[in-house]
Amino acid sequence: MAAAVAMRSGSSDGGGGYEKGGMDTGKYVRYTPEQVETLERVYAECPKPSSARRQQLLRECPILSNIEPKQIKVWFQNRRCRDKQRKESSRLQAVNRKLTAMNKLLMEENERLQKQVSQLVHENAYMKQQLQNPSLANDASCDSNVTAPANLRDASNPSGLLSIAEETLTEFLSKATGTAIDWVQMPGMKPGPDSFGIVTISHGGRGVAARACGLVNLEPTKIVEILKDRPSWFRDCRSLEVFTMLPAGNGGTIELVYMQMYAPTTLVPARDFWTLRYTTTMEDGSLVVCERSLSGSGDGQSAATAQQFVRAEMLPSGYLVRQCEGGGSIVRIVDHLDLDAWSVPEVLRPLYESSRVVAQKMTTAALRHLRQIAQETSGEVVYAMGRQPAVLRTFSQRLSRGFNDAISGFNDDGWSIMAGDGIEDVIIACNSKKIRSGSNPATAFGAPGGIICAKASMLLQSVPPAVLVRFLREHRSEWADYNFDAYSASALKTSPCSLPGLRPMRFSGSQIIMPLAHTVENEEILEVVRLEGQTLTHDEGLLSRDIHLLQLCTGIDEKSMGSCFQLVFAPIDELFPDDAPLISSGFRVIPLDIKTVECFLLVYLFEDGLSSGRTLDLASSLEVGATTQQASADGSQDACNLRSVLTIAFQFPYEIHLQDTVAAMARQYVRSIVSAVQRVSMAISPSQSGLNTGQKIISGFPEAATLVRWICQSYRYHMGVDLVSHSDQAGESLLRMFWDHQDAVLCCSFKEKPVFTFGNQMGIDMLETTLIALQDLTLDKIFDEPGRKALHAEVPKLMEQGYAYLPAGVCLSGMGRHVSYEEAVAWKVLGEDGNVHCLAFCFVNWSFV
C-alpha cells in the first residue's frame, strides 16, 4: 500500500507528521492513504480538536492505532498551517490583482487630470485675451449658437431620442472619467488593498452625486445585466419598467424607463423617475449604460399613485465597464440626482441634499452587490443550513421589500388609511388584498381579511443608531410582547387566527440567534431567531410554543458609517421552506446629520449597567444615565448633537370580522413600543454619559472598581502572580487595564446555579453578548458536555485550594457559536471580609471555531 509522507511541505495528501522520538534524525512519520482520509474527515468537522477528542479518535479508529497522540496533535497543527498558508497565498494574489487594477485606475485618472489642467490653462489664457479685447468678445457672443437642453427637445421621435442619448453619453463620460464634477474623496472610504474601490462624492454644484471605481471578478456583460436590474440590488427601488426599446448604432439600445422609489420614512412622499437609458459599446470594447431624465408626456405614471410620488430628476449617470487584462472587469459607477429636497420638511432635507447618502445607499451598494455575486459565483461563500446563496439573498430582498411596502403603503398595492382615534401619533393602514407568498400567485397567505399595518415615525436626538438597533436585536424582551409574536406566527398555520389573550403565552426570556448569511463586509446579516415560549392552559398543560423569526440586521456594527440602520423580521415556520411567506415588521433608523456618524467611535461599554451582586434591567440603565449627566467633549460633542429619524412598522394578519379589534390592538402595541424605544434611547444616549469610560463606571457604579480590585487581588493571592500589570493600582487605572486585558475574564455568582454578572471586553466578545445580556447566561449553559464534566471534576479542588485549571475545550457563545480555548483558570474572588464573593474565570487564547 502506498504511503503518504507527512511533514512534506505542500503535500497533496493533506497529511502532517511528527519526528518520532527514538527514530533517526531526518525520518518522518508515514501515514497510509486510509489514515489520511480518516484524519481529513475529522479535520473537516473540527480543525482544532481538543486533547479528549484526539484520544477518542484513536480509540474509535483502529486504523490509527499505531499513531501516538502527540503525532496526531502535530498532524492537525501542520494541516491548519497549510490551510492558513494556502488561504494567505490566495489572498495575496487577489490583493496583488486588485492593487494592479487600482494602480491602473489611478494612472488613468492622473493622466486625465493633467489633460484637464492643460485645458484649463488654455481656457484661462483665452479668457484673458477676450477681456483685453472687448470687441472680440462681442463678436464671439453674436456668433455663438445656443443649444437647447435635452429635456426641451423633441423626444417623441427616434432621431430626437438618439440625439439625447449621444449627449447623455458624452456628459456621463465627462463625469466618469473626467472632472465635469468637482469630485472629493468620500470620508472613511480611503482606497487601499482592503477597500472595495475608490469612492468620491460631489462638492458643490447641482443636485447630489457620487462616483465609485472598483475591480469585480465578473464578465462585463454579466455586470451590465446585474446593474440594469436595479430592483435586485437597490433596496429603495420599488419597481422599474421599460416602456419603449429602440435599436441604436453599434448594437446599442435606447430605452424609456419608469422607476419608482420607496419613501424612507412615513414623513415624506416617495420619488419616481422618467428616464432615457442608453446602452452601447465603445471603440475600446468597454460597455456603457448611461441614463438621464426626460420631461413631457408619456411619463409612465398611473393616476392611482400619482399623488403618492414626487417627480425627481436623474442627471446624466450610468456605468462604464471594461475588461481587465488580469481577469475581471473595472467598473465605474456615477449617480447624479436632483431629489427635490424643497418638497420635504426642513428637518429631513439632509436625506435629500447629501451626496454621501447617495454614495452609501446607491453607488457603493451596486459595487458591493457585484462583489457579493462574484464571491458566490466563485464558491467563496458557504452559508448555513445548506441553502443556496441566491435563495438567502432572495429572503433578504423580500424582507426588505415587505418592510418598505408597509412604510410607503401604496394605493395600487391595496393599502388604505383607516380612521384614527383622535391621536395621530400612529398611522393605521389596511390592505384587504390577499397576501401572496413570493411570486407564486396561487399560494394565499394569512387570513381572508388581509393585513393591518401600524406605523409611526419619531425624531431621535443624541442616540447612536447602531447601538440602538443592536440593543433592540439583543434585548427583545425589553420592547416586544411575546403574545403578539405568537399571534403573527399563528397566521402560518392552517387554522384560523385567534387574538392574543385567548391562548395565554409565557416568554421564557431566552432567544437563540442562528446566523444564516451576511454580505461581504457584514453590512447586512440574515439570521433565524428562536424565541422560547410556553402556552399555559388547563386543557393543553405545559407545552412548548417556540416561535421562529427570519431577521435581517443592517448596520449593527458600532463603527458602521452607513446611511440606514435596520432591524426587520418576519415569523416563519420552523421548517423554513424556500417559498415561505413573509410579513415584515421592524425598525429603521436614518441619521439626518450624516457627517457626525463618524464620531460614534465612542466606547459603548457600560451604558447597560453593571453590578456585582444584583440583576440589572432597563431601569438600572436609565439610572446610570441619570447619574452620569455631564457635558461631552471634543469628538463626542458632535455625537451628542446627532439627529436621526426612527420609523417603526408592524404588520398583523386579521379576519374580516376582527378588523377593528386588530387595528386597535396594533395601535396600542406600537404605542407601547414607541415608549420602550424612548426609554432605551435615554439609556444609551451619549449625552447622558460621563466624559469617558472609566468615569462612567466609577460614577455610575462605584462597586465596579471594587469588584475589579477584588478579582485582581484574589488572583494574585491564589496564583502568586498578577492578572494585570501594576495590579496594585486602584480606581480608573486598574479598571481600564482589566477591561483591556488580552484574555477573556468573566465573573459568575457563587450560587447553586451560577449566573454571569460581569466581564471584561474580551469576555463579552467571546460570549457575543453585552453586559445586560451577560446576566441571561448561566455557567452550565456555555459549556458543552465534556466541558461540564471537566468543570465538575475540578470543583472539589476549586473549593479546597481556591483555584483550579481547566483543560483546553470548547464552549458556546450567547449566539450559539462554538468557541475553543487553550486553557481556563477558575478562582474564588474574596471580598474585604475574606468571604467568597463570586467566582472568576479566565479563558486563554480563545477563538471562534
Side-chain angles (χ1 to χ4, degrees):
M1 182 180 294
V5 180
M7 290 288 287
R8 201 174 282 169
S9 175
S11 61
S12 60
D13 56 24
Y18 175 75
E19 190 170 311
K20 191 174 180 180
M23 297 178 64
D24 294 337
T25 303
K27 292 187 177 180
Y28 297 89
V29 175
R30 289 177 176 270
Y31 296 90
T32 66
E34 290 79 8
Q35 290 174 329
V36 172
E37 182 180 358
T38 301
L39 292 171
E40 287 287 353
R41 282 199 303 268
V42 176
Y43 181 83
E45 298 174 359
C46 180
K48 194 175 181 181
S50 62
S51 176
R53 179 70 181 93
R54 295 195 298 270
Q55 294 286 352
Q56 180 185 3
L57 177 64
L58 291 175
R59 290 194 301 269
E60 295 177 352
C61 300
I63 196 172
L64 301 175
S65 58
N66 64 323
I67 309 297
E68 295 183 2
K70 195 171 184 180
Q71 295 170 355
I72 296 293
K73 178 180 179 180
V74 173
W75 187 93
F76 279 97
Q77 289 175 343
N78 292 338
R79 184 67 175 82
R80 291 194 299 270
C81 182
R82 276 193 300 276
D83 247 3
K84 185 176 180 180
Q85 289 174 346
R86 278 195 291 268
K87 291 177 181 177
E88 183 65 12
S89 176
S90 299
R91 188 188 71 83
L92 291 176
Q93 289 176 5
V95 168
N96 183 60
R97 288 195 302 270
K98 193 172 185 179
L99 289 175
T100 301
M102 288 288 184
N103 181 60
K104 190 172 183 179
L105 279 174
L106 291 173
M107 290 177 64
E108 292 176 355
E109 192 71 16
N110 183 56
E111 182 180 353
R112 292 188 185 94
L113 288 174
Q114 289 178 352
K115 291 180 179 179
Q116 187 73 13
V117 168
S118 300
Q119 182 181 353
L120 291 174
V121 170
H122 176 74
E123 291 178 356
N124 184 52
Y126 177 75
M127 290 300 297
K128 285 183 178 179
Q129 183 181 2
Q130 294 292 320
L131 292 174
Q132 292 172 0
N133 299 278
S135 59
L136 294 177
N138 293 332
D139 293 341
S141 63
C142 294
D143 296 335
S144 62
N145 295 321
V146 179
T147 303
N151 283 353
L152 299 180
R153 296 194 197 161
D154 184 10
S156 61
N157 62 77
S159 60
L161 291 176
L162 182 58
S163 175
I164 296 174
E166 292 294 343
E167 288 193 7
T168 302
L169 175 62
T170 302
E171 293 186 42
F172 161 68
L173 291 176
S174 69
K175 298 175 183 179
T177 62
T179 55
I181 290 180
D182 185 10
W183 298 111
V184 296
Q185 182 176 295
M186 181 173 168
M189 299 292 289
K190 294 182 179 179
D194 296 327
S195 68
F196 64 86
I198 303 172
V199 183
T200 54
I201 56 177
S202 62
H203 180 66
R206 181 185 173 192
V208 289
R211 181 177 68 174
C213 306
L215 176 66
V216 178
N217 291 323
L218 292 173
E219 293 297 317
T221 52
K222 179 66 174 177
I223 292 174
V224 169
E225 177 187 346
I226 293 172
L227 292 177
K228 290 179 73 172
D229 184 17
R230 194 172 279 131
S232 69
W233 56 265
F234 185 28
R235 293 295 170 84
D236 285 354
C237 181
R238 183 199 183 205
S239 63
L240 187 147
E241 184 177 358
V242 178
F243 276 74
T244 304
M245 181 180 294
L246 301 172
N250 297 327
T253 58
I254 295 176
E255 301 164 297
L256 299 184
V257 178
Y258 177 62
M259 181 179 70
Q260 293 180 345
M261 292 175 61
Y262 287 109
T265 174
T266 61
L267 303 175
V268 296
R271 262 56 180 168
D272 66 352
F273 297 84
W274 174 245
T275 62
L276 177 146
R277 186 167 66 185
Y278 180 37
T279 305
T280 187
T281 304
M282 305 291 289
E283 292 182 357
D284 62 356
S286 301
L287 294 180
V288 179
V289 180
C290 55
E291 191 171 6
R292 78 178 305 160
S293 286
L294 295 174
S295 61
S297 59
D299 59 2
Q301 203 173 55
S302 65
T305 59
Q307 295 181 350
Q308 293 184 287
F309 289 94
V310 170
R311 178 57 52 89
E313 182 179 358
M314 180 181 294
L315 304 171
S317 307
Y319 321 111
L320 174 62
V321 186
R322 186 180 65 195
Q323 185 81 40
C324 189
E325 296 177 0
S329 305
I330 295 177
V331 184
R332 288 182 171 88
I333 302 174
V334 174
D335 292 305
H336 193 180
L337 308 173
D338 185 344
L339 298 171
D340 193 10
W342 294 101
S343 64
V344 302
E346 184 176 358
V347 69
L348 299 177
R349 285 179 192 168
L351 297 180
Y352 298 87
E353 295 175 335
S354 171
S355 294
R356 290 190 57 179
V357 173
V358 173
Q360 292 166 338
K361 297 181 68 174
M362 197 170 181
T363 315
T364 60
L367 206 52
R368 286 192 172 104
H369 182 75
L370 291 173
R371 289 188 64 203
Q372 185 77 26
I373 298 296
Q375 290 198 2
E376 293 174 0
T377 304
S378 64
E380 297 178 37
V381 180
V382 179
Y383 291 143
M385 299 177 65
R387 301 290 177 133
Q388 292 295 323
V391 174
L392 296 176
R393 189 169 62 252
T394 301
F395 273 120
S396 299
Q397 292 168 350
R398 289 175 54 200
L399 274 174
S400 181
R401 177 171 290 272
F403 187 58
N404 279 323
D405 284 333
I407 292 175
S408 297
F410 294 114
N411 296 335
D412 58 349
D413 281 340
W415 290 102
S416 58
I417 303 297
M418 298 180 63
D421 60 353
I423 306 176
E424 301 302 327
D425 57 337
V426 177
I427 300 172
I428 301 296
C430 169
N431 191 334
S432 58
K433 291 184 178 180
K434 290 183 178 179
I435 304 301
R436 308 287 182 175
S437 66
S439 58
N440 182 6
T443 308
F445 177 80
I451 301 293
I452 291 288
C453 176
K455 50 191 175 181
S457 294
M458 56 188 291
L459 191 66
L460 301 177
Q461 184 79 20
S462 308
V463 178
V467 177
L468 174 60
V469 172
R470 193 170 68 251
F471 188 98
L472 296 172
R473 171 180 178 253
E474 297 175 357
H475 306 290
R476 190 178 184 88
S477 60
E478 296 289 351
W479 57 267
D481 188 324
Y482 184 83
N483 288 308
F484 286 87
D485 291 325
Y487 170 72
S488 297
S490 69
L492 298 172
K493 311 300 180 183
T494 56
S495 58
C497 301
S498 60
L499 284 175
L502 299 182
R503 178 173 293 179
M505 309 292 289
R506 183 179 68 190
F507 179 43
S508 66
S510 176
Q511 67 174 15
I512 299 175
I513 299 179
M514 297 166 281
L516 281 179
H518 58 81
T519 52
V520 175
E521 298 179 0
N522 292 317
E523 304 92 4
E524 289 187 350
I525 300 175
L526 184 67
E527 55 198 14
V528 172
V529 181
R530 190 180 77 193
L531 305 177
E532 297 180 351
Q534 298 168 335
T535 180
L536 303 174
T537 60
H538 295 293
D539 54 337
E540 294 182 79
L542 191 64
L543 299 176
S544 173
R545 285 293 184 271
D546 292 350
I547 293 173
H548 295 80
L549 303 174
L550 184 64
Q551 185 164 273
L552 180 67
C553 309
T554 305
I556 60 174
D557 187 345
E558 284 183 33
K559 297 181 181 180
S560 175
M561 293 183 293
S563 61
C564 182
F565 302 78
Q566 285 189 150
L567 181 69
V568 182
F569 47 85
I572 58 169
D573 187 87
E574 58 185 348
L575 299 178
F576 191 19
D578 290 349
D579 60 347
L582 302 176
I583 295 184
S584 302
S585 301
F587 306 86
R588 171 182 294 163
V589 186
I590 304 176
L592 298 176
D593 305 303
I594 305 298
K595 63 181 180 180
T596 60
V597 175
E598 291 179 330
C599 297
F600 276 115
L601 301 182
L602 299 175
V603 183
Y604 176 63
L605 303 178
F606 295 89
E607 282 88 338
D608 290 331
L610 163 65
S611 175
S612 59
R614 56 188 174 91
T615 302
L616 301 178
D617 54 15
L618 185 60
S620 63
S621 299
L622 297 176
E623 184 180 350
V624 177
T627 58
T628 59
Q629 291 184 1
Q630 296 184 34
S632 297
D634 301 331
S636 63
Q637 185 69 19
D638 289 331
C640 294
N641 292 329
L642 177 75
R643 296 174 302 167
S644 55
V645 59
L646 167 68
T647 301
I648 304 171
F650 278 72
Q651 300 188 76
F652 303 93
Y654 71 92
E655 294 183 52
I656 191 65
H657 64 284
L658 295 174
Q659 177 176 338
D660 293 338
T661 305
V662 174
M665 171 200 75
R667 179 181 287 109
Q668 293 303 319
Y669 183 45
V670 169
R671 283 174 177 166
S672 69
I673 292 175
V674 169
S675 299
V677 170
Q678 289 173 337
R679 294 196 303 272
V680 172
S681 300
M682 290 175 58
I684 65 178
S685 172
S687 61
Q688 304 296 321
S689 306
L691 291 176
N692 55 57
T693 304
Q695 290 175 338
K696 285 190 287 184
I697 301 170
I698 295 172
S699 61
F701 293 98
E703 65 269 25
T706 303
L707 176 59
V708 169
R709 179 164 51 85
W710 290 351
I711 292 172
C712 296
Q713 288 178 349
S714 300
Y715 186 89
R716 181 169 53 186
Y717 172 77
H718 294 303
M719 309 294 179
V721 294
D722 289 331
L723 177 64
V724 298
S725 58
H726 307 294
S727 61
D728 55 340
Q729 297 187 22
E732 179 182 343
S733 299
L734 182 60
L735 201 56
R736 170 52 62 188
M737 287 188 290
F738 174 81
W739 182 260
D740 294 334
H741 188 58
Q742 62 183 357
D743 295 321
V745 182
L746 296 162
C747 296
C748 63
S749 56
F750 192 66
K751 300 177 181 178
E752 181 179 354
K753 191 175 182 180
V755 176
F756 287 107
T757 57
F758 183 44
N760 67 348
Q761 177 69 71
M762 293 297 285
I764 291 173
D765 290 346
M766 184 184 81
L767 295 184
E768 294 187 293
T769 183
T770 62
L771 283 172
I772 266 195
L774 180 66
Q775 299 177 56
D776 295 333
L777 300 176
T778 58
L779 184 61
D780 62 327
K781 184 179 287 188
I782 73 164
F783 284 105
D784 58 5
E785 189 60 31
R788 282 192 289 270
K789 289 182 179 179
L791 178 62
H792 293 159
E794 297 296 330
V795 167
K797 185 183 297 184
L798 176 63
M799 294 297 101
E800 180 180 351
Q801 66 183 21
Y803 68 94
Y805 288 93
L806 303 179
V810 176
C811 64
L812 296 176
S813 74
M815 299 298 183
R817 284 211 288 174
H818 288 82
V819 182
S820 66
Y821 54 90
E822 292 187 2
E823 185 184 54
V825 184
W827 70 96
K828 296 179 182 178
V829 177
L830 307 178
E832 299 290 356
D833 55 3
N835 294 326
V836 178
H837 185 270
C838 61
L839 295 178
F841 291 83
C842 180
F843 296 87
V844 180
N845 293 338
W846 64 270
S847 62
F848 291 109
V849 177

